Amino acid sequence: MEDKTEDKRIVVAIDGPAGAGKSTVARAVAERIGVPYLDTGALYRAIALKLHEEHIMPDDGERVSERLKDLRLEVGRGTISADGVDVTAEIRSALVDGIVSAYAARPEVRDALTGLQRAQAARGLVADGRDMGTVVFPDAELKIFLTADAEERARRRYKERLERGEEADYDDILKQVKERDRYDMTREIAPLRPAQGCIIIDSSDMSAEEAADAVASLAVEFERQRKR
Ligand code: DC
């Protein structure tokens, strides 16, 4: 008889606040276990950018859902486009950092993205975001909540900005990190919190590589046990 265990690949759900190192960890884990990586924050960012450009405010539920019916998001390997336009770089701007939480708090936006995210998981997936383990993939084989204290996360963002040649002010970034945490954790729908059955990892004193190694080892061990 056909062995289905080989076909059904692992889903790893990684949640946590901005700047905890989720994307570095998720990318490394996906590579180690050979499944695709999905950056769900990029999906929210692309929607925020597009709707903002079109002057559709996050609290205008009717226009938001109308527009989302025909907005075409395409995810490539490390790229994302909206209605055929590559927005990979633009979604990382300070502008999008500032507006994305308000769009991500809207039920119309979250509903539209839940189906899209689940549709990517058929061949296994490592997905990072805020509600991977709690809402989108509650049955994921491995759920991780990756966190770090706000000051350390702000330091990482500050360094990233400087490395990209952008201007950066540490105090502003720290304020924004804290504001975004509060917004993401207290919103009514899909608030950021550790999922049931998740493993909590605090990366404050770890390098991105160390955190990636820790999670990848768990995923590799899980795959090994499952295939036995
Ligand atoms: O991880 P990030 O900074 O790219 O996320 C951008 C925003 O999108 C952030 O405000 C939280 C939100 N988000 C979310 O609500 N749910 C997800 N699964 C991923 C991101």
Side-chain angles (χ1 to χ4, degrees):
M1 232 168 69
E2 208 184 338
D3 178 9
K4 289 280 175 204
T5 32
E6 289 290 327
D7 288 341
K8 198 190 165 299
R9 303 301 308 276
I10 186 172
V11 172
V12 181
I14 304 182
D15 291 305
K22 296 187 300 293
S23 64
T24 311
V25 169
R27 246 185 221 106
V29 172
E31 189 149 312
R32 282 269 285 273
I33 59 175
V35 299
Y37 161 58
L38 180 66
D39 171 1
T40 66
L43 301 171
Y44 285 93
R45 285 170 177 272
I47 286 181
L49 173 68
K50 211 59 195 154
L51 297 190
H52 174 82
E53 277 176 0
E54 295 173 9
H55 309 289
I56 301 174
M57 296 301 137
D59 56 359
D60 189 346
E62 221 166 285
R63 285 187 75 205
V64 168
S65 37
E66 212 32 56
R67 183 62 180 95
L68 289 180
K69 280 186 199 151
D70 59 14
L71 176 60
R72 202 160 34 86
L73 292 181
E74 277 164 307
V75 183
R77 277 180 158 261
T79 63
I80 182 159
S81 68
D83 286 341
V85 178
D86 187 327
V87 292
T88 313
E90 233 181 319
I91 60 166
R92 303 291 159 198
S93 66
L95 167 81
V96 176
D97 277 356
I99 60 168
V100 62
S101 282
Y103 287 96
R106 299 300 308 180
E108 299 83 3
V109 174
R110 305 208 72 84
D111 286 349
L113 284 183
T114 300
L116 196 153
Q117 294 167 117
R118 287 186 182 148
Q120 312 275 324
R123 288 167 186 273
L125 190 71
V126 179
D128 74 337
R130 303 296 189 287
D131 61 344
M132 297 297 95
T134 51
V135 177
V136 182
F137 301 115
D139 298 329
E141 283 80 6
L142 182 59
K143 296 183 224 173
I144 303 289
F145 192 83
L146 187 66
T147 187
D149 59 48
E151 287 71 18
E152 175 56 25
R153 290 185 285 120
R155 260 194 300 278
R156 293 174 187 173
R157 274 280 142 101
Y158 175 72
K159 244 183 83 195
E160 272 170 25
R161 291 257 168 85
L162 293 185
E163 279 166 9
R164 287 207 299 261
E166 294 169 18
E167 278 189 26
D169 179 279
Y170 172 79
D171 290 330
D172 275 356
I173 293 177
L174 179 60
K175 203 169 131 225
Q176 217 187 30
V177 161
K178 286 184 175 170
E179 256 166 34
R180 210 130 72 84
D181 283 356
R182 192 179 53 77
Y183 208 114
D184 292 340
M185 291 165 116
T186 58
R187 69 184 177 208
E188 267 176 45
I189 310 163
L192 170 65
R193 58 179 169 76
Q196 219 169 10
C198 75
I199 298 171
I200 299 180
I201 298 180
D202 186 331
S203 74
S204 303
D205 298 319
M206 289 180 182
S207 67
E209 292 71 29
E210 284 170 333
D213 272 350
V215 180
S217 308
L218 289 170
V220 167
E221 181 56 23
F222 181 89
E223 281 286 71
R224 209 174 55 83
Q225 295 275 352
R226 204 164 55 102
K227 283 179 180 164
R228 272 219 306 229

Coordinates of all heavy atoms in Angstrom, one line a residue, residues 38-91:
L38 N 6.9 30.4 4.3 CA 5.9 31.4 4.0 C 6.0 32.6 5.0 O 5.7 32.3 6.2 CB 4.5 30.8 4.0 CG 3.3 31.8 3.7 CD1 3.4 32.4 2.2 CD2 2.0 31.2 3.9
D39 N 6.3 33.8 4.5 CA 6.4 34.9 5.4 C 5.0 35.6 5.4 O 4.7 36.3 4.5 CB 7.5 35.9 4.8 CG 7.5 37.2 5.5 OD1 6.7 37.5 6.4 OD2 8.4 38.0 5.1
T40 N 4.2 35.3 6.4 CA 2.8 35.8 6.3 C 2.7 37.3 6.6 O 1.8 38.0 6.2 CB 1.9 35.1 7.3 OG1 2.2 35.3 8.6 CG2 1.9 33.6 7.0
G41 N 3.7 37.9 7.3 CA 3.8 39.3 7.6 C 3.9 40.1 6.2 O 3.3 41.1 6.1
A42 N 4.6 39.5 5.3 CA 4.7 40.1 3.9 C 3.3 40.2 3.3 O 3.1 41.2 2.5 CB 5.7 39.3 3.1
L43 N 2.5 39.3 3.5 CA 1.1 39.3 2.9 C 0.3 40.5 3.5 O -0.3 41.3 2.7 CB 0.4 38.0 3.2 CG 1.0 36.7 2.6 CD1 0.2 35.5 3.2 CD2 1.0 36.7 1.1
Y44 N 0.4 40.6 4.8 CA -0.3 41.8 5.5 C 0.3 43.1 5.0 O -0.4 44.1 4.8 CB -0.2 41.6 7.0 CG -1.2 40.6 7.5 CD1 -0.7 39.2 7.7 CD2 -2.5 40.9 7.7 CE1 -1.6 38.3 8.1 CE2 -3.4 39.9 8.1 CZ -2.9 38.6 8.3 OH -3.8 37.6 8.7
R45 N 1.6 43.1 4.9 CA 2.3 44.3 4.4 C 1.9 44.7 3.0 O 1.7 45.9 2.7 CB 3.8 44.1 4.5 CG 4.4 44.1 5.9 CD 5.8 43.7 6.0 NE 6.3 43.8 7.3 CZ 6.8 44.9 7.9 NH1 7.0 46.0 7.1 NH2 7.2 44.9 9.1
A46 N 1.8 43.7 2.1 CA 1.4 44.0 0.7 C 0.0 44.6 0.7 O -0.2 45.5 -0.1 CB 1.6 42.8 -0.1
I47 N -0.9 44.0 1.4 CA -2.3 44.5 1.4 C -2.3 45.9 2.0 O -2.9 46.8 1.4 CB -3.2 43.6 2.3 CG1 -3.4 42.3 1.5 CG2 -4.5 44.2 2.6 CD1 -4.3 41.3 2.2
A48 N -1.6 46.2 3.1 CA -1.6 47.5 3.7 C -1.1 48.5 2.7 O -1.6 49.6 2.5 CB -0.7 47.5 5.0
L49 N 0.0 48.2 2.0 CA 0.7 49.1 1.1 C -0.3 49.4 -0.1 O -0.6 50.6 -0.4 CB 1.9 48.5 0.5 CG 2.6 49.2 -0.7 CD1 3.2 50.5 -0.2 CD2 3.7 48.4 -1.3
K50 N -0.9 48.4 -0.6 CA -1.8 48.6 -1.8 C -3.0 49.4 -1.4 O -3.4 50.4 -2.1 CB -2.2 47.2 -2.2 CG -2.5 46.9 -3.6 CD -1.4 47.2 -4.5 CE -1.9 47.3 -5.9 NZ -1.2 48.1 -6.8
L51 N -3.7 49.0 -0.3 CA -4.9 49.8 0.1 C -4.6 51.2 0.5 O -5.3 52.1 0.2 CB -5.6 49.0 1.3 CG -6.1 47.6 1.0 CD1 -7.0 47.1 2.1 CD2 -6.9 47.5 -0.3
H52 N -3.5 51.4 1.2 CA -3.1 52.8 1.5 C -2.8 53.6 0.3 O -3.3 54.7 0.2 CB -1.8 52.7 2.4 CG -1.2 54.0 2.7 ND1 -1.7 54.8 3.8 CD2 -0.2 54.7 2.2 CE1 -1.0 55.9 3.8 NE2 -0.1 55.9 2.8
E53 N -2.1 53.0 -0.7 CA -1.9 53.8 -1.9 C -3.2 54.2 -2.6 O -3.3 55.2 -3.3 CB -1.1 52.9 -2.9 CG 0.4 52.9 -2.7 CD 1.1 51.9 -3.6 OE1 0.4 51.2 -4.5 OE2 2.3 51.8 -3.5
E54 N -4.2 53.3 -2.4 CA -5.5 53.6 -3.1 C -6.4 54.4 -2.2 O -7.6 54.4 -2.5 CB -6.1 52.3 -3.6 CG -5.2 51.6 -4.7 CD -5.7 50.2 -5.1 OE1 -6.8 49.8 -4.6 OE2 -4.9 49.5 -5.8
H55 N -5.9 54.9 -1.1 CA -6.7 55.7 -0.1 C -7.9 54.9 0.4 O -8.9 55.5 0.6 CB -7.2 57.0 -0.8 CG -6.0 57.7 -1.4 ND1 -5.0 58.4 -0.7 CD2 -5.7 57.9 -2.7 CE1 -4.2 58.9 -1.5 NE2 -4.5 58.7 -2.8
I56 N -7.7 53.6 0.6 CA -8.7 52.8 1.3 C -8.3 52.7 2.7 O -7.3 52.0 3.0 CB -8.9 51.5 0.6 CG1 -9.3 51.7 -0.9 CG2 -10.0 50.6 1.3 CD1 -9.4 50.4 -1.7
M57 N -9.1 53.3 3.6 CA -8.7 53.3 5.0 C -9.1 52.0 5.7 O -10.0 51.3 5.3 CB -9.5 54.4 5.8 CG -9.1 55.8 5.3 SD -7.4 56.1 5.5 CE -6.9 56.9 4.0
P58 N -8.3 51.6 6.7 CA -8.5 50.3 7.3 C -9.9 50.1 7.9 O -10.4 49.0 7.9 CB -7.4 50.2 8.4 CG -6.7 51.5 8.5 CD -7.1 52.2 7.2
D59 N -10.5 51.2 8.4 CA -11.8 51.1 9.1 C -13.0 51.2 8.1 O -14.1 51.1 8.5 CB -11.9 52.1 10.2 CG -11.8 53.6 9.7 OD1 -11.5 53.7 8.4 OD2 -11.9 54.5 10.4
D60 N -12.7 51.3 6.8 CA -13.7 51.3 5.8 C -13.9 49.8 5.3 O -13.6 49.5 4.2 CB -13.3 52.2 4.6 CG -14.4 52.4 3.6 OD1 -15.4 51.7 3.7 OD2 -14.3 53.4 2.8
G61 N -14.6 49.1 6.2 CA -14.7 47.6 5.9 C -15.3 47.3 4.6 O -14.8 46.3 3.9
E62 N -16.3 48.0 4.1 CA -16.9 47.7 2.9 C -15.9 47.8 1.7 O -15.8 46.9 0.9 CB -18.1 48.7 2.6 CG -19.3 48.0 2.1 CD -20.5 48.9 2.2 OE1 -21.0 49.0 3.4 OE2 -20.9 49.5 1.2
R63 N -15.2 49.0 1.7 CA -14.3 49.1 0.5 C -13.1 48.2 0.6 O -12.6 47.7 -0.4 CB -13.7 50.6 0.5 CG -14.7 51.6 0.0 CD -14.1 52.9 -0.2 NE -13.2 53.0 -1.4 CZ -12.2 53.9 -1.5 NH1 -12.0 54.7 -0.5 NH2 -11.5 53.9 -2.6
V64 N -12.7 47.9 1.9 CA -11.6 46.9 2.1 C -12.0 45.6 1.5 O -11.3 45.0 0.7 CB -11.2 46.8 3.6 CG1 -10.3 45.6 3.8 CG2 -10.5 48.1 4.1
S65 N -13.2 45.1 1.9 CA -13.5 43.7 1.4 C -13.8 43.7 -0.1 O -13.4 42.8 -0.8 CB -14.7 43.0 2.1 OG -15.6 43.9 2.5
E66 N -14.4 44.8 -0.6 CA -14.6 44.9 -2.1 C -13.3 44.8 -2.8 O -13.1 44.0 -3.8 CB -15.3 46.3 -2.3 CG -16.2 46.3 -3.5 CD -17.0 45.1 -3.8 OE1 -17.7 44.5 -2.9 OE2 -16.9 44.6 -4.9
R67 N -12.3 45.6 -2.4 CA -11.0 45.6 -3.1 C -10.2 44.2 -2.9 O -9.6 43.8 -3.9 CB -10.1 46.7 -2.5 CG -8.8 46.9 -3.2 CD -8.9 47.2 -4.6 NE -7.7 47.4 -5.3 CZ -7.1 46.4 -6.0 NH1 -7.6 45.2 -6.1 NH2 -5.9 46.6 -6.6
L68 N -10.4 43.6 -1.8 CA -9.7 42.3 -1.6 C -10.2 41.2 -2.4 O -9.5 40.2 -2.7 CB -9.7 41.9 -0.1 CG -8.9 42.8 0.9 CD1 -9.0 42.3 2.3 CD2 -7.4 42.8 0.5
K69 N -11.4 41.4 -2.9 CA -12.0 40.3 -3.8 C -11.1 40.2 -5.1 O -11.1 39.2 -5.7 CB -13.4 40.7 -4.2 CG -14.4 40.3 -3.1 CD -15.8 40.5 -3.6 CE -16.8 40.6 -2.5 NZ -17.9 41.5 -2.7
D70 N -10.6 41.4 -5.6 CA -9.8 41.2 -6.8 C -8.4 41.6 -6.7 O -7.6 41.6 -7.7 CB -10.5 42.1 -8.0 CG -10.6 43.5 -7.6 OD1 -10.0 43.9 -6.7 OD2 -11.4 44.2 -8.3
L71 N -7.9 41.8 -5.5 CA -6.4 42.1 -5.3 C -5.7 40.7 -5.5 O -6.0 39.7 -4.8 CB -6.2 42.7 -3.9 CG -4.7 42.9 -3.6 CD1 -4.0 43.8 -4.6 CD2 -4.5 43.5 -2.2
R72 N -4.7 40.7 -6.3 CA -4.0 39.4 -6.6 C -2.6 39.5 -6.0 O -1.8 40.2 -6.3 CB -3.9 39.3 -8.2 CG -3.7 37.9 -8.7 CD -4.0 37.8 -10.2 NE -3.7 39.0 -10.9 CZ -2.5 39.3 -11.4 NH1 -1.5 38.5 -11.3 NH2 -2.3 40.5 -12.1
L73 N -2.5 38.6 -5.0 CA -1.2 38.5 -4.3 C -0.5 37.3 -4.8 O -1.0 36.2 -4.9 CB -1.3 38.4 -2.8 CG -1.9 39.6 -2.0 CD1 -1.9 39.3 -0.6 CD2 -1.0 40.8 -2.3
E74 N 0.8 37.4 -5.2 CA 1.6 36.3 -5.6 C 2.9 36.2 -4.8 O 3.6 37.2 -4.8 CB 1.9 36.4 -7.1 CG 0.8 35.9 -8.0 CD 0.9 36.3 -9.4 OE1 1.0 37.6 -9.6 OE2 0.8 35.5 -10.3
V75 N 3.1 35.0 -4.3 CA 4.3 34.8 -3.4 C 5.3 33.9 -4.2 O 4.9 32.9 -4.7 CB 3.9 34.1 -2.1 CG1 5.1 33.9 -1.2 CG2 2.8 34.8 -1.4
G76 N 6.5 34.5 -4.4 CA 7.6 33.7 -5.0 C 8.6 33.3 -4.0 O 8.3 33.4 -2.8
R77 N 9.8 32.9 -4.5 CA 10.8 32.6 -3.5 C 11.5 33.9 -3.0 O 12.3 34.5 -3.7 CB 11.9 31.7 -4.3 CG 11.6 30.3 -4.3 CD 12.7 29.5 -5.0 NE 12.6 28.1 -4.6 CZ 13.4 27.5 -3.7 NH1 14.3 28.2 -3.1 NH2 13.2 26.3 -3.5
G78 N 11.0 34.3 -1.9 CA 11.5 35.6 -1.3 C 11.0 36.8 -2.0 O 11.5 37.9 -1.8
T79 N 10.0 36.7 -2.8 CA 9.4 37.9 -3.5 C 7.9 37.9 -3.3 O 7.3 36.8 -3.0 CB 9.7 37.9 -5.0 OG1 9.0 36.8 -5.6 CG2 11.1 37.9 -5.3
I80 N 7.3 39.1 -3.4 CA 5.9 39.1 -3.4 C 5.4 40.2 -4.3 O 6.1 41.3 -4.4 CB 5.4 39.4 -1.9 CG1 3.8 39.5 -1.9 CG2 5.9 40.7 -1.3 CD1 3.2 39.2 -0.5
S81 N 4.3 39.9 -5.0 CA 3.8 41.0 -5.9 C 2.3 41.1 -5.7 O 1.6 40.2 -5.2 CB 4.1 40.6 -7.4 OG 3.4 39.5 -7.8
A82 N 1.8 42.3 -5.9 CA 0.4 42.6 -5.8 C -0.1 43.2 -7.1 O 0.5 44.1 -7.6 CB 0.2 43.7 -4.7
D83 N -1.1 42.5 -7.6 CA -1.6 42.9 -9.0 C -0.5 42.9 -10.0 O -0.4 43.9 -10.8 CB -2.4 44.2 -8.9 CG -3.8 44.0 -8.3 OD1 -4.2 42.9 -8.2 OD2 -4.3 45.0 -7.9
G84 N 0.4 42.0 -9.9 CA 1.5 41.9 -10.9 C 2.7 42.8 -10.7 O 3.6 42.8 -11.5
V85 N 2.6 43.7 -9.7 CA 3.7 44.6 -9.4 C 4.6 44.1 -8.2 O 4.0 43.8 -7.2 CB 3.2 46.0 -9.1 CG1 4.4 47.0 -8.7 CG2 2.4 46.6 -10.2
D86 N 5.9 43.9 -8.4 CA 6.7 43.4 -7.4 C 6.8 44.5 -6.3 O 7.3 45.6 -6.5 CB 8.1 43.1 -8.0 CG 9.0 42.5 -7.0 OD1 8.9 42.7 -5.8 OD2 9.9 41.6 -7.4
V87 N 6.4 44.1 -5.1 CA 6.4 45.1 -3.9 C 7.4 44.6 -2.8 O 7.3 45.1 -1.7 CB 5.0 45.3 -3.4 CG1 4.1 46.1 -4.4 CG2 4.3 44.0 -2.9
T88 N 8.3 43.7 -3.2 CA 9.1 43.0 -2.2 C 9.9 44.1 -1.3 O 10.0 44.0 -0.1 CB 10.1 42.1 -2.9 OG1 9.4 41.3 -3.8 CG2 10.9 41.2 -1.9
A89 N 10.5 45.1 -2.0 CA 11.3 46.1 -1.3 C 10.4 47.1 -0.5 O 10.6 47.4 0.6 CB 12.2 46.8 -2.2
E90 N 9.4 47.5 -1.3 CA 8.5 48.6 -0.7 C 7.8 48.2 0.6 O 7.5 49.1 1.4 CB 7.5 48.9 -1.8 CG 7.4 50.4 -2.2 CD 6.4 50.6 -3.2 OE1 6.3 49.8 -4.1 OE2 5.7 51.6 -3.1
I91 N 7.5 47.0 0.7 CA 6.7 46.6 1.9 C 7.5 46.6 3.2 O 7.0 46.5 4.3 CB 6.1 45.2 1.8 CG1 7.1 44.1 1.6 CG2 5.0 45.1 0.7 CD1 6.6 42.7 1.8

